[in-house]
Amino acid sequence: MRAIHMVSPRLSSCLRPIFFGRFSSSPRDFVFPLSNPRRFYCAAAAAENVDSGGGGGRSGSVTAPPMMEDFQKIDVNPPKGTRDFSPEDMRLRNWLFQHFKEVSRLFGFEEVDFPVLESEALFIRKAGEEIRDQLYCFEDRGNRRVALRPELTPSLARLVIQKGKSVSLPLKWFAVGQCWRYERMTRGRRREHYQWNMDIIGVSEVAAEAELISSIVTFFKRIGITASDVGFKVSSRKVLQEMLRSYGVPENLFGKVCIVIDKIEKIPVEEIKKELRLTGISEEAIEQLLEVLSIKSLEKLEDVLGGAGEAIADLKQLFSLAEKFGYSEWIQFDASVVRGLAYYTGIVFEGFDRGGKLRAICGGGRYDRLLSTFGGDDIPACGFGFGDAVIVELIKEKGLLPELKQEVENIVCALDKDLQGAAATVATILRDKGHTVDLVLEIKPLKWVFKRAARVNAARLVLVGKTEWEEGSVSVKILSSGEQYKVKLHDLD
Amino acid sequence: MRAIHMVSPRLSSCLRPIFFGRFSSSPRDFVFPLSNPRRFYCAAAAAENVDSGGGGGRSGSVTAPPMMEDFQKIDVNPPKGTRDFSPEDMRLRNWLFQHFKEVSRLFGFEEVDFPVLESEALFIRKAGEEIRDQLYCFEDRGNRRVALRPELTPSLARLVIQKGKSVSLPLKWFAVGQCWRYERMTRGRRREHYQWNMDIIGVSEVAAEAELISSIVTFFKRIGITASDVGFKVSSRKVLQEMLRSYGVPENLFGKVCIVIDKIEKIPVEEIKKELRLTGISEEAIEQLLEVLSIKSLEKLEDVLGGAGEAIADLKQLFSLAEKFGYSEWIQFDASVVRGLAYYTGIVFEGFDRGGKLRAICGGGRYDRLLSTFGGDDIPACGFGFGDAVIVELIKEKGLLPELKQEVENIVCALDKDLQGAAATVATILRDKGHTVDLVLEIKPLKWVFKRAARVNAARLVLVGKTEWEEGSVSVKILSSGEQYKVKLHDLD
């Protein structure tokens, strides 16, 4: 395997020195280990940093000897918090995404996508969201502030404003895209995940939210998850809005209050109260707010808020539609659900694991005012995000992980070197007929070929041997039964 | 549509001022237009830059009034050089990627993926490649040098080293991933594209390269491109290697020389000579090199190099296999093809438009020494990259762009508000049977519904009216024929 010694750094020092006059060849310049023993890089790489742009590149100008130019021991792991997808991982990802996509299409949604890199301004909201604190942002080589998207909705809103009157409402769009975050303190949490989004733009009726939840229920059912595994907690931000209004709290504090409330199950209630006090809300309002947030029945909420407001009307409508869609047993009212994004304005919901072990599986709601925060005209809208992490934990726990194997119909193999071309012809014939073929590209012992056939789960082994080939035939072995026969090339199918 | 005035910045200034004591509300702080009239952002966003991390964040600490907190007029376009994918764009992308993936599977390849963000060190090679100069790199919030990947091969090599002996060779892997570059002077060129890669790891025989080209030919044929539209120019870097060796040029200059040679059709020959002189190659060698690079026939090359070297043997083998695979008419020898990546070591090839108008459609080759440049043990390998840009230009030019429309089987619509729930039930019945349904979520005039049905290319319109519903039926209209009938709910299929 080392037949070609072209740029080997270890050999090159024997070469004529005439070319190296202007370079130092001190071994000190070669490789310097960093604190992490798996992470090395060479002086050449460090020196290059100078002109590589980006914000705050640190200076340094060690000139490396050219014989080291292409040698650097790299970290074989993907960057911290990111994933490689080996074939096994990719089969699971494809299986999951396929379900996301098929369900979306079943509901008449069209797929869209946006750049993974967006202008930072698109994600900056001052409500104190976790998503904002963890923005994976940086300055590009042209000194623009950009960010790897933490979520898809702002990009969707941007595209809707851009399209303006050229599109007919409602839009029903879905996307499956990678989202990023940056936490300084990572406790094994990932910095990227994929998120399935479905959004309905241009429908003010609660039927839109009901349709979105129906699509998630359809997805759960398809992969074997039942109403006894997961549920949806549903509320409306209008509950909070109506309460704050009754206490004279300014409307502009609404987003901030929601973000505080969203932490209610994560931090002690005294902390919540302290943060609410900081927004300027009165002690009485805080106490009342916290009491209302503990309500788990729509009837009790109606007793407190009265029956006239939009919150109650919307929620009643949603529960009525849930029955007609056939997913009543999946949903329940829970006033404590507000979701962690500042832009929601109405119904909010989150999918939760009834076992109580996992974080929220998905979440969404109505965001009728997002477009105007970007300078566009508002259009009623709602949507959800569904990550690829918690659902995989859940299906593992429930024993629902599918068995996904590589599947190749045929393995084609020449029995001697002169027949490699013949095997190529056989592979082409089969592929032209739409059959998948793993062509053995080197001459290998039959034992090896059988082992590979088993590993790729091939159904048939097609052997190209001298005698058969001379009469225009090949040997076919059905691997499940062991049955073996000769077949003419033109009958091969 | 503006029913809920919750965080409207324009209204909020009428609210009680008690909450704004510590903020300036000077109108100067609101919005400041930048030079680009489409790009505005608010003081709130600018102020946030201070703590937003990333290398070189510039300081500034304007405190915005809270009523402006969520208002910022954003640029509705995606960042310079990037794309949104509207439903139409996404249908084309899916169509293209589907062909990439189906062809890869037909050849028995398994899908993999890697992070779009990698350690910068993975892409730094000092051979002067264009890909290196245009690296989209930056410093992350933890002061690590990272880059948006410019290509997929280094990540693949990293994963192969990481997997080590846990995988059985050969590996046949494919990926379709987004790749990035950063050019300071963009002349309408994009900063991202998607690239289809197929790689074979662990086969030293030329049969591997022959198989790769066969898969690209298969792809072309599937989308209607013929051998009179495109071809492959094929050579081997061993041609150059053998020549340089005969002139005593050190092996470590090889990558650099290849990168210079790759520019042969882009910059004047005098420039090429100048750059070659800078590497230290003799005038005589340069002249000889340029003469050999103009050779377009394998026979003539053999006259010059002699028949004993690996270059000639490999190329002969490739042309012989091409015949057996059935794509002889697609390929031709061209000594000037060296490709622009430093790591190729053997056969190199590129797909080109015979019309001569477009840049290379795809390119690839053997890279037997890449793994050791990362500190791993070398394994023979080859692969190709195939971008999503030039191929789309080509199929547009050849009139091969497919007509891809949204396709929804049913549009379901309630005829009055009370029947919205009934329509939801009907939609669920159809979806449970696997039929796609666009459910009309608001009560709309029939004229509107027919217009929407036409736009989504629905086959059937299912109307839920009071009289029919009371007898457990719905009206179905076949939109192509105009045929209309009543059907019982339990017969609906």
Side-chain angles (χ1 to χ4, degrees):
Chain A
M1 287 194 190
R2 281 189 174 256
I4 311 150
H5 292 291
M6 199 142 21
V7 285
S8 166
R10 290 175 189 103
L11 290 176
S12 55
S13 55
C14 327
L15 295 172
R16 289 191 300 173
I18 188 163
F19 293 92
F20 306 138
R22 63 197 175 95
F23 296 105
S24 149
S25 59
S26 155
R28 275 189 303 118
D29 291 341
F30 274 23
V31 177
F32 50 90
L34 299 182
S35 56
N36 177 347
R38 304 196 67 174
R39 200 182 280 273
F40 297 91
Y41 59 91
C42 78
E48 286 288 290
N49 284 351
V50 185
D51 66 20
S52 58
R58 287 162 303 172
S59 61
S61 59
V62 188
T63 305
M67 64 271 206
M68 284 304 295
E69 64 183 1
D70 279 332
F71 181 75
Q72 45 186 346
K73 185 137 191 164
I74 53 134
D75 187 343
V76 296
N77 296 306
K80 197 171 172 184
T82 69
R83 289 172 290 178
D84 288 319
F85 289 87
S86 68
E88 308 80 74
D89 302 328
M90 199 68 194
R91 281 196 288 273
L92 182 61
R93 172 174 136 182
N94 280 337
W95 170 85
L96 189 66
F97 288 11
Q98 199 58 35
H99 281 294
F100 290 159
K101 291 174 186 195
E102 280 172 15
V103 168
S104 302
R105 295 208 181 92
L106 205 54
F107 280 70
F109 282 59
E110 296 181 277
E111 191 170 2
V112 292
D113 196 13
F114 324 100
V116 70
L117 193 76
E118 285 271 15
S119 164
E120 185 188 56
L122 199 59
F123 306 112
I124 289 182
R125 298 179 293 263
K126 290 208 72 178
E129 299 158 293
E130 188 184 58
I131 207 168
R132 167 69 191 87
D133 298 336
Q134 297 178 352
L135 195 60
Y136 202 127
C137 53
F138 62 94
E139 199 159 81
D140 76 9
R141 291 171 66 173
N143 300 324
R144 286 177 202 85
R145 295 293 313 172
V146 289
L148 291 170
R149 62 183 174 199
E151 52 159 340
L152 303 173
T153 315
S155 302
L156 178 137
R158 182 179 57 63
L159 185 56
V160 170
I161 298 172
Q162 183 202 115
K163 292 283 174 193
K165 300 216 182 303
S166 73
V167 289
S168 305
L169 300 179
L171 300 170
K172 296 180 184 178
W173 282 356
F174 80 95
V176 181
Q178 197 172 26
C179 298
W180 292 77
R181 67 168 164 202
Y182 195 97
E183 289 181 285
R184 265 171 221 280
M185 303 287 289
T186 45
R187 310 165 295 276
R189 293 183 74 186
R190 285 211 315 266
R191 288 189 172 154
E192 52 78 19
H193 74 152
Y194 282 87
Q195 206 178 83
W196 170 37
N197 276 38
M198 285 176 76
D199 293 87
I200 299 173
I201 317 293
V203 177
S204 55
E205 304 275 328
V206 175
E209 289 96 317
E211 171 94 333
L212 292 176
I213 297 174
S214 178
S215 66
I216 307 176
V217 169
T218 303
F219 167 79
F220 281 138
K221 285 180 172 173
R222 283 171 73 108
I223 65 167
I225 302 264
T226 68
S228 58
D229 299 321
V230 303
F232 292 88
K233 291 177 187 168
V234 179
S235 184
S236 170
R237 285 212 174 163
K238 290 178 187 169
V239 173
L240 266 176
Q241 196 198 7
E242 288 170 18
M243 287 210 52
L244 293 177
R245 208 176 262 165
S246 74
Y247 280 91
V249 177
E251 307 254 343
N252 64 302
L253 286 182
F254 182 70
K256 212 162 257 179
V257 170
C258 288
I259 299 311
V260 177
I261 298 292
D262 182 55
K263 301 180 204 161
I264 213 156
E265 286 181 354
K266 294 172 204 155
I267 63 174
V269 69
E270 280 313 315
E271 276 301 307
I272 299 282
K273 285 182 182 174
K274 216 168 96 187
E275 289 195 32
L276 288 175
R277 266 177 226 124
L278 281 176
T279 66
I281 302 181
S282 73
E283 205 60 39
E284 190 197 344
I286 291 173
E287 290 302 328
Q288 184 69 35
L289 208 59
L290 292 176
E291 207 181 305
V292 168
L293 289 171
S294 69
I295 296 174
K296 310 273 183 223
S297 115
L298 210 47
E299 294 70 36
K300 198 168 161 214
L301 184 73
E302 196 168 353
D303 290 346
V304 176
L305 289 188
E310 284 181 13
I312 294 287
D314 285 358
L315 287 162
K316 280 187 168 171
Q317 172 73 353
L318 182 67
F319 280 83
S320 158
L321 282 168
E323 200 190 319
K324 305 293 185 180
F325 271 109
Y327 60 80
S328 286
E329 53 173 350
W330 296 71
I331 71 165
Q332 62 198 57
F333 172 72
D334 188 329
S336 72
V337 171
V338 292
R339 300 298 301 155
L341 294 165
Y343 49 67
Y344 288 128
T345 55
I347 295 283
V348 279
F349 57 88
E350 67 184 41
F352 71 100
D353 146 45
R354 291 197 197 270
K357 289 188 207 157
L358 306 172
R359 283 166 292 132
I361 303 165
C362 58
R366 177 163 289 279
Y367 53 92
D368 285 348
R369 302 299 309 275
L370 181 58
L371 271 59
S372 69
T373 67
F374 291 146
D377 290 331
D378 273 327
I379 302 176
C382 57
F384 69 80
F386 190 118
D388 70 340
V390 182
I391 186 65
V392 170
E393 288 178 58
L394 184 71
I395 60 177
K396 276 183 185 162
E397 195 182 285
K398 301 285 173 195
L400 295 169
L401 212 55
E403 205 189 324
L404 303 164
K405 296 183 297 185
Q406 185 183 5
E407 273 166 37
V408 175
E409 290 163 78
N410 305 279
I411 184 159
V412 172
C413 178
L415 289 175
D416 70 66
K417 187 134 183 66
D418 291 348
L419 293 168
Q420 190 62 60
T425 303
V426 172
T428 301
I429 289 170
L430 285 166
R431 288 165 178 163
D432 281 350
K433 291 182 176 169
H435 301 299
T436 56
V437 175
D438 180 29
L439 175 62
V440 178
L441 298 164
E442 292 172 302
I443 299 306
K444 293 284 189 181
L446 261 182
K447 199 178 147 191
W448 183 98
V449 177
F450 277 102
K451 244 173 98 178
R452 178 155 183 106
R455 194 167 50 244
V456 303
N457 303 298
R460 295 194 297 190
L461 171 59
V462 181
L463 289 172
V464 184
K466 197 166 162 33
T467 325
E468 291 89 346
W469 188 249
E470 276 167 0
E471 47 187 66
S473 300
V474 291
S475 290
V476 172
K477 190 179 177 88
I478 306 299
L479 291 162
S480 57
S481 62
E483 183 198 355
Q484 193 163 345
Y485 52 89
K486 251 189 354 189
V487 61
K488 288 276 179 199
L489 214 51
H490 53 79
D491 293 332
L492 194 60
D493 194 25
Chain B
M1 283 194 189
R2 281 190 175 253
I4 311 150
H5 292 292
M6 198 140 24
V7 285
S8 165
R10 289 176 191 102
L11 289 176
S12 55
S13 56
C14 327
L15 294 172
R16 288 193 299 174
I18 188 163
F19 292 92
F20 307 138
R22 64 198 175 94
F23 297 105
S24 150
S25 59
S26 155
R28 274 188 304 119
D29 291 340
F30 274 23
V31 178
F32 49 90
L34 299 181
S35 56
N36 178 346
R38 302 199 66 172
R39 198 182 283 272
F40 297 91
Y41 60 92
C42 78
E48 286 289 290
N49 282 353
V50 185
D51 66 19
S52 59
R58 286 162 305 170
S59 60
S61 59
V62 187
T63 306
M67 66 272 208
M68 284 303 295
E69 64 183 1
D70 279 332
F71 181 75
Q72 44 185 348
K73 185 138 191 164
I74 52 135
D75 188 343
V76 296
N77 297 305
K80 198 171 171 182
T82 70
R83 289 171 289 177
D84 289 319
F85 289 87
S86 68
E88 307 80 75
D89 302 329
M90 198 68 195
R91 281 196 288 273
L92 182 61
R93 172 174 137 182
N94 280 337
W95 171 84
L96 189 66
F97 288 11
Q98 199 57 34
H99 281 294
F100 289 160
K101 291 174 186 196
E102 280 172 16
V103 168
S104 302
R105 295 209 180 93
L106 205 54
F107 280 70
F109 282 59
E110 296 181 276
E111 192 170 1
V112 291
D113 197 12
F114 324 100
V116 70
L117 192 76
E118 286 271 14
S119 163
E120 184 188 56
L122 199 60
F123 306 112
I124 290 183
R125 297 179 294 262
K126 291 209 70 177
E129 299 158 293
E130 187 185 58
I131 207 168
R132 166 69 192 87
D133 298 336
Q134 297 177 354
L135 195 60
Y136 202 127
C137 52
F138 60 94
E139 199 160 81
D140 76 9
R141 290 172 66 173
N143 300 324
R144 286 177 204 85
R145 295 292 313 172
V146 289
L148 291 170
R149 64 184 174 200
E151 52 159 340
L152 303 173
T153 315
S155 301
L156 178 137
R158 181 179 58 63
L159 185 56
V160 170
I161 298 171
Q162 182 203 116
K163 292 282 173 194
K165 299 215 183 303
S166 72
V167 290
S168 306
L169 301 178
L171 299 171
K172 296 179 184 178
W173 283 356
F174 80 95
V176 181
Q178 197 173 26
C179 298
W180 292 77
R181 69 169 163 200
Y182 195 97
E183 289 180 283
R184 264 171 222 279
M185 301 287 288
T186 45
R187 311 166 295 274
R189 293 183 75 185
R190 284 212 313 266
R191 288 190 172 153
E192 52 78 19
H193 73 152
Y194 282 88
Q195 206 178 83
W196 169 38
N197 276 37
M198 285 177 76
D199 293 87
I200 299 173
I201 317 294
V203 177
S204 55
E205 304 275 329
V206 175
E209 289 95 316
E211 171 95 334
L212 292 176
I213 297 174
S214 178
S215 66
I216 307 176
V217 169
T218 303
F219 166 80
F220 281 139
K221 284 179 172 171
R222 284 172 71 109
I223 63 167
I225 301 267
T226 68
S228 58
D229 299 320
V230 303
F232 292 87
K233 292 177 186 168
V234 179
S235 185
S236 169
R237 284 212 175 163
K238 290 177 187 170
V239 173
L240 266 176
Q241 195 198 6
E242 288 171 19
M243 286 208 54
L244 293 176
R245 207 176 263 164
S246 75
Y247 281 93
V249 177
E251 306 256 344
N252 63 304
L253 286 182
F254 181 70
K256 212 162 257 181
V257 171
C258 288
I259 299 311
V260 176
I261 299 292
D262 181 56
K263 301 179 205 160
I264 212 156
E265 287 181 353
K266 294 172 204 155
I267 62 175
V269 70
E270 281 313 313
E271 274 302 307
I272 299 283
K273 286 182 182 176
K274 216 168 94 188
E275 289 195 31
L276 289 175
R277 269 178 224 123
L278 281 175
T279 67
I281 302 179
S282 73
E283 206 59 39
E284 190 197 344
I286 290 173
E287 291 301 328
Q288 184 71 35
L289 208 60
L290 292 176
E291 207 180 304
V292 168
L293 289 171
S294 70
I295 296 175
K296 311 272 184 222
S297 116
L298 210 46
E299 294 69 38
K300 200 172 159 209
L301 183 73
E302 195 169 353
D303 290 347
V304 176
L305 290 186
E310 284 181 13
I312 294 288
D314 285 358
L315 286 163
K316 279 186 168 171
Q317 172 73 354
L318 182 67
F319 279 84
S320 158
L321 283 169
E323 200 189 318
K324 305 292 185 180
F325 272 109
Y327 60 83
S328 286
E329 54 173 348
W330 296 73
I331 71 165
Q332 62 196 58
F333 172 73
D334 187 330
S336 71
V337 171
V338 292
R339 300 299 300 156
L341 294 164
Y343 49 67
Y344 289 128
T345 56
I347 295 283
V348 278
F349 56 88
E350 66 183 42
F352 71 100
D353 147 45
R354 291 195 198 272
K357 288 188 210 157
L358 306 172
R359 283 167 291 132
I361 302 165
C362 59
R366 177 162 290 278
Y367 52 92
D368 285 349
R369 301 298 308 276
L370 181 59
L371 270 60
S372 68
T373 66
F374 291 147
D377 290 332
D378 274 326
I379 302 175
C382 57
F384 69 80
F386 190 119
D388 71 340
V390 182
I391 186 64
V392 170
E393 288 177 59
L394 184 70
I395 60 177
K396 275 182 186 162
E397 195 182 286
K398 300 286 174 193
L400 294 169
L401 212 55
E403 205 190 323
L404 303 163
K405 295 184 297 185
Q406 184 183 5
E407 274 166 37
V408 175
E409 290 162 78
N410 305 279
I411 184 159
V412 171
C413 178
L415 289 176
D416 69 69
K417 189 137 183 63
D418 290 347
L419 293 168
Q420 189 62 61
T425 303
V426 172
T428 300
I429 290 170
L430 286 166
R431 287 165 179 163
D432 282 350
K433 291 182 176 170
H435 301 299
T436 55
V437 174
D438 180 29
L439 175 61
V440 178
L441 297 164
E442 292 173 302
I443 299 307
K444 293 283 190 182
L446 262 183
K447 199 179 148 190
W448 184 97
V449 176
F450 276 102
K451 243 173 102 178
R452 177 153 184 107
R455 195 166 51 243
V456 303
N457 303 296
R460 294 195 297 190
L461 170 59
V462 181
L463 290 172
V464 185
K466 196 166 162 38
T467 325
E468 291 89 345
W469 189 251
E470 276 167 1
E471 49 188 62
S473 301
V474 291
S475 290
V476 172
K477 191 179 175 87
I478 306 299
L479 290 162
S480 57
S481 63
E483 184 197 353
Q484 194 163 345
Y485 52 89
K486 251 190 350 188
V487 61
K488 288 274 177 200
L489 214 52
H490 53 78
D491 294 331
L492 194 61
D493 193 30

